[in-house]
Amino acid sequence: MSLLETNLKYNVNQTIFVAVDCAIFGFDSKSLKLLLFKRKVEPLKGHWSLIGAFIQDDLSIDEGAKQVLLESTGLSGIYLNQLKTYGNKDRDPGARVISVGYYSLIPVGEHEISEVEEYDAKWFELNELPELILDHRQMVDDAIDAIRTNARSKPIGFNLLPPKFTLPMLQTLYESIFQRTFDQRNFRKKILGMGILDKTNEKDKSTSKKGAFLYSFNKEAYDDKTYETFI
Amino acid sequence: MSLLETNLKYNVNQTIFVAVDCAIFGFDSKSLKLLLFKRKVEPLKGHWSLIGAFIQDDLSIDEGAKQVLLESTGLSGIYLNQLKTYGNKDRDPGARVISVGYYSLIPVGEHEISEVEEYDAKWFELNELPELILDHRQMVDDAIDAIRTNARSKPIGFNLLPPKFTLPMLQTLYESIFQRTFDQRNFRKKILGMGILDKTNEKDKSTSKKGAFLYSFNKEAYDDKTYETFI
DNA sequence: ACAAAAGTGTTTGATCTACACCCATGG
DNA sequence: CCATGGGTGTAGATCAAACACTTTTGT
């Protein structure tokens, strides 16, 4: 359908562009991090920003977000969730642009660290974020809020962990998300009581001499139950 | 800023239109209702739909949503919240349109019933909704989900009630939202225990001979506390 | 042998649930 | 005087929070 046709059909005269921006969070067994990029276009070229791009006409916005992620990080098949849409009139000095915000959760291994930095990207600790362009700081804050809210009722945390992980890792992750500590015994009791983790016989010895048992997330068991409060 | 300039600056060639659609919920002391409109433009003219319109270039999307609401219902100053953005490629047969969904909560009095029906609008019971155009049914379902989630942690229910209301009304409202009954004693205990309601000396006798005391919501008391779970 | 992280139960208080009768009043 | 909806308290169950010691093993 051509622009002319659509314009006639709906009698609209808009000059608004539609972009997506994605806040990519990663966990490396120690802390929650945010992936930022050096902006490549004017205005504000060279400043730190979330990864974003204009939507192509032939992609849904969800597909657009996926593609942005793939093109700018090489990552695909990862957790990606719509956050909210930012539409203040003057939010972008370059044009009238509304941006559909997304957030993405990924485990950060050695691979992801090096891989991603080939794209002019860098992982930042959440409490050491540089200044961000436009309303991207707001997006990040909103995303953290959304992750917290979401993490209470759904096991989204598992998207930040490798397929096999230890309970201490899981606890550290939730402590990073909620910025508080959890009692070790209560935490394990609660998580294991849900019956959604499968224990393996393997141990991870990278963080202690004793080693911690590796577990995997049992999605079927979770789907059967759908908890209302998770943590 | 002209289209040409912006296009040059960002080198974009998009033909996507941006609309807002708003799901307006009302409560009339008995049940939760949804306000629907007969669509006025082709395609699908005459079918039931949420109220919506294209965003004007000089308004933020939040302002756009407010204006749509004002123009199509005469209502202003009411609770309005962004839901999510719908961006499937072929969601609108008339053009490539993405729609930012909103939901709105209002008390429905005699006034609002008659007032609103001058606009080719009609209140429907939630379990008697007609077929809706495009993905509007999805928007409604998402909005109900969002209202439920939100109502658990914030007192949004009070936006659906008049300034003075009775506890039986409030309970009926929450029962409409969650589609379940609550024990009367437990409900009152919990709500009153929050200390966010001011009891008046007046009684509403419209639904019983004994009459029920009217209360008002004390926003200050609520802000002091910010509960994590509300119901 | 010791440092460092993993693993394990019990007790207490708070919260949630279930449950049934009296009250006030208009008709 | 009676039908109708408004108002009230308690006991048992469940859940959340606080709390400290033992185990394993690499160095």
Side-chain angles (χ1 to χ4, degrees):
Chain A
M1 175 154 313
S2 77
L3 177 58
L4 186 61
E5 280 174 323
T6 60
N7 247 325
L8 284 173
K9 204 160 244 167
Y10 279 140
N11 193 24
V12 191
N13 203 345
Q14 264 185 352
T15 57
I16 303 180
F17 298 117
V18 181
V20 294
D21 284 300
C22 186
I24 303 169
F25 293 89
F27 182 69
D28 65 353
S29 307
K30 296 227 161 32
S31 65
L32 199 57
K33 295 171 163 52
L34 179 68
L35 189 62
L36 295 174
F37 296 78
K38 281 235 167 100
R39 174 147 155 142
K40 293 193 178 60
V41 295
E42 292 293 352
L44 300 167
K45 184 171 176 173
H47 290 72
W48 291 105
S49 83
L50 301 181
I51 183 65
F54 291 98
I55 292 277
Q56 291 172 230
D57 277 5
D58 59 342
L59 292 181
S60 76
I61 54 178
D62 283 351
E63 287 164 355
K66 270 180 214 151
Q67 181 172 331
V68 165
L69 214 58
L70 178 62
E71 285 176 3
S72 33
T73 65
L75 298 164
S76 69
I78 67 184
Y79 182 86
L80 185 66
N81 206 13
Q82 191 187 306
L83 177 59
K84 68 173 271 192
T85 296
Y86 297 81
N88 280 350
K89 190 164 64 83
D90 300 315
R91 56 177 291 282
D92 189 324
R96 175 73 203 270
V97 181
I98 73 166
S99 175
V100 185
Y102 283 78
Y103 64 90
S104 176
L105 306 178
I106 64 175
V108 181
E110 296 302 319
H111 177 69
E112 286 78 10
I113 292 266
S114 49
E115 187 78 2
V116 120
E117 296 192 345
E118 290 170 19
Y119 289 88
D120 247 329
K122 189 167 178 304
W123 288 102
F124 286 85
E125 296 294 327
L126 288 190
N127 52 10
E128 295 170 7
L129 297 182
E131 199 172 332
L132 300 179
I133 62 164
L134 311 183
D135 46 10
H136 286 199
R137 176 69 208 208
Q138 183 65 47
M139 292 183 186
V140 171
D141 291 340
D142 289 348
I144 293 171
D145 266 5
I147 290 168
R148 280 184 191 151
T149 303
N150 229 332
R152 267 187 195 284
S153 58
K154 276 172 268 178
I156 59 167
F158 297 106
N159 294 297
L160 287 155
L161 294 167
K164 289 179 183 173
F165 51 87
T166 67
L167 290 181
M169 279 168 68
L170 184 64
Q171 181 167 350
T172 303
L173 169 58
Y174 275 90
E175 291 180 342
S176 305
I177 292 176
F178 291 105
Q179 287 292 301
R180 54 162 290 204
T181 57
F182 292 96
D183 178 86
Q184 187 184 190
R185 282 168 287 190
N186 294 339
F187 183 84
R188 299 170 72 98
K189 211 185 309 170
K190 183 151 192 179
I191 296 284
L192 291 175
M194 293 176 181
I196 56 173
L197 293 189
D198 295 334
K199 188 176 185 175
T200 71
N201 292 323
E202 304 159 67
K203 279 192 168 190
D204 168 66
K205 294 210 168 186
S206 64
T207 54
S208 79
K209 291 154 186 169
K210 185 178 179 181
F213 278 105
L214 288 163
Y215 289 77
S216 64
F217 174 54
N218 186 326
K219 194 166 183 339
E220 290 71 36
Y222 174 76
D223 286 340
D224 284 354
K225 310 202 178 187
T226 23
Y227 295 88
E228 37 201 67
T229 62
F230 188 74
I231 289 290
Chain B
M1 174 153 314
S2 78
L3 177 58
L4 187 61
E5 279 173 325
T6 61
N7 246 327
L8 284 173
K9 203 159 243 166
Y10 278 140
N11 194 22
V12 191
N13 203 345
Q14 264 186 352
T15 58
I16 302 180
F17 298 118
V18 181
V20 293
D21 284 300
C22 186
I24 302 169
F25 293 89
F27 182 69
D28 65 353
S29 308
K30 295 227 162 32
S31 66
L32 199 57
K33 295 171 164 50
L34 179 67
L35 188 63
L36 295 175
F37 296 78
K38 282 235 168 100
R39 173 149 157 139
K40 294 193 179 60
V41 295
E42 291 294 351
L44 299 167
K45 184 171 177 174
H47 290 72
W48 291 105
S49 82
L50 301 180
I51 184 63
F54 291 99
I55 290 278
Q56 289 172 230
D57 277 4
D58 59 343
L59 292 181
S60 76
I61 54 177
D62 284 350
E63 287 164 355
K66 270 180 214 152
Q67 180 171 331
V68 165
L69 214 57
L70 178 62
E71 286 176 2
S72 34
T73 66
L75 298 164
S76 69
I78 67 183
Y79 182 87
L80 185 66
N81 205 13
Q82 191 187 306
L83 178 60
K84 69 173 273 192
T85 296
Y86 297 80
N88 280 351
K89 189 164 63 82
D90 300 315
R91 55 178 292 282
D92 189 324
R96 176 71 204 272
V97 180
I98 74 165
S99 176
V100 185
Y102 282 78
Y103 64 91
S104 175
L105 306 178
I106 64 175
V108 181
E110 296 302 319
H111 178 69
E112 287 78 11
I113 291 267
S114 49
E115 187 81 0
V116 118
E117 298 194 344
E118 290 170 20
Y119 289 89
D120 247 330
K122 189 167 178 303
W123 289 101
F124 287 84
E125 296 295 326
L126 289 189
N127 54 11
E128 294 171 5
L129 297 182
E131 199 171 330
L132 300 177
I133 61 163
L134 312 182
D135 46 11
H136 286 200
R137 176 70 209 207
Q138 184 65 47
M139 293 184 186
V140 172
D141 291 340
D142 290 348
I144 293 171
D145 266 5
I147 291 169
R148 279 182 191 153
T149 303
N150 230 333
R152 265 185 197 286
S153 58
K154 276 172 268 178
I156 58 167
F158 297 107
N159 294 298
L160 287 155
L161 294 167
K164 291 179 183 173
F165 51 87
T166 67
L167 290 180
M169 277 168 69
L170 184 64
Q171 180 167 352
T172 304
L173 168 58
Y174 275 90
E175 291 180 341
S176 303
I177 292 176
F178 290 105
Q179 287 291 302
R180 52 162 290 203
T181 58
F182 292 97
D183 177 87
Q184 188 185 188
R185 281 168 288 191
N186 295 339
F187 183 83
R188 299 171 71 98
K189 210 186 312 169
K190 182 151 193 179
I191 296 283
L192 291 175
M194 293 175 180
I196 57 173
L197 293 190
D198 295 334
K199 188 175 183 173
T200 72
N201 292 322
E202 304 159 66
K203 279 193 166 188
D204 169 67
K205 294 206 169 187
S206 64
T207 55
S208 78
K209 290 153 187 170
K210 183 176 178 180
F213 278 105
L214 288 163
Y215 290 77
S216 63
F217 174 55
N218 185 327
K219 194 165 183 340
E220 290 70 36
Y222 174 76
D223 286 340
D224 283 354
K225 311 203 176 186
T226 24
Y227 294 89
E228 36 201 68
T229 62
F230 188 76
I231 289 289

